[in-house]
Amino acid sequence: MSRVQELRQKLRQHPLAQRAESYWNSLQLREQRLIAVLGAVVVVAIIYFAMWQPIHNAVQRLETQKGAAQQQLLWTQQKIAQYQQWQSRNQNKSSPSGSPSQRISTAANSFDIELSRIQPQGDAYLVAIDQVSFNALLQFIQALQSREQLLVSALDIAELSTPGAVRVRKLLVEEAR
C-alpha cells in the first residue's frame, strides 16, 4: 500500500470521521448536494478573502507608490537639468578683463552714459555723472554688478529739473570679492 492509501485508511477509522460519514449517509441526496455547493462557496470565499483580496490590495498600493516615485524621479531629473543649465551658464561667464576703471568706462559706454569723473579711492572708485536718465542709471548699475562683477557700495543721486533725469554725485564702485 502506498503512503496516501494508508493515511486514507487511518482517517476512515477515526471516530469523528465515522460519525461524519454516517451523518452524510443519513442525509437525502438533495441535502448532500446543497451542503456540497455550500462547501464549495465557503472554499471560494476563503480563497478570495484570505488570499486574493489582500494580494490585490497590496498590488494596488504598490502601483500607487510606484506612480508617486516616478513623479518624484521626473521632478528630480528636471531639477538636475535646470541646475546643470544654470551651472553651465555660470561657468561660461568669462571673468571680466581690464582694470576696474576700464570696466566702469566700458559699461558706461554701452549705455551711452558720459562719465564726468572716475577717481580712485583706496580699493574703490568714485564715479560722478552730470546727467543721466534714471532708467539708464539702473541698467548701468546692473551691468556693473552682473557683467563686470563690480560691487556698488554707495550711491548719492540728485533729481534734476528734466523729468526722469538725475545727477550722480557719488557712485562708489569696488571689486566684488
Side-chain angles (χ1 to χ4, degrees):
M1 266 199 209
S2 71
R3 181 91 170 130
V4 175
Q5 289 176 345
E6 288 178 22
L7 287 174
R8 200 179 286 170
Q9 186 68 24
K10 284 184 182 180
L11 186 60
R12 283 188 181 176
Q13 292 174 355
H14 192 275
L16 187 60
Q18 289 175 353
R19 268 194 285 160
E21 188 176 353
S22 66
Y23 176 74
W24 180 260
N25 291 332
S26 69
L27 295 175
Q28 293 180 3
L29 183 61
R30 185 172 151 194
E31 292 172 332
Q32 288 178 350
R33 287 182 184 162
L34 182 64
I35 290 175
V37 169
L38 181 62
V41 169
V42 168
V43 168
V44 168
I46 289 173
I47 289 172
Y48 176 78
F49 288 111
M51 294 172 55
W52 175 257
Q53 191 176 22
I55 291 171
H56 180 70
N57 290 344
V59 167
Q60 283 184 328
R61 187 181 72 249
L62 290 174
E63 286 176 354
T64 303
Q65 290 174 349
K66 177 185 171 189
Q70 285 175 334
Q71 287 178 344
Q72 186 175 16
L73 174 64
L74 181 63
W75 179 85
T76 304
Q77 288 172 338
Q78 289 172 345
K79 294 303 174 186
I80 287 171
Q82 288 175 355
Y83 173 75
Q84 289 172 341
Q85 288 175 348
W86 175 82
Q87 191 175 29
S88 67
R89 276 193 306 247
N90 286 342
Q91 287 176 351
N92 291 341
K93 286 184 179 178
S94 59
S95 60
S97 61
S99 69
S101 64
Q102 289 173 332
R103 293 175 8 221
I104 292 169
S105 295
T106 302
N109 289 337
S110 68
F111 295 103
D112 293 327
I113 297 174
E114 188 177 326
L115 303 177
S116 49
R117 181 177 63 181
I118 298 180
Q119 179 181 349
Q121 286 196 342
D123 291 340
Y125 288 83
L126 177 66
V127 178
I129 304 170
D130 287 334
Q131 182 175 347
V132 64
S133 85
F134 184 71
N135 290 336
L137 176 64
L138 292 178
Q139 291 173 342
F140 171 62
I141 291 171
Q142 174 66 30
L144 288 174
Q145 293 179 341
S146 63
R147 192 175 65 211
E148 302 298 335
Q149 296 180 359
L150 296 170
L151 179 66
V152 175
S153 56
L155 175 64
D156 182 16
I157 60 174
E159 183 179 4
L160 296 177
S161 60
T162 308
V166 294
R167 178 167 43 107
V168 178
R169 291 185 243 173
K170 174 183 173 184
L171 177 64
L172 198 57
V173 180
E174 58 189 54
E175 198 70 61
R177 293 179 175 92

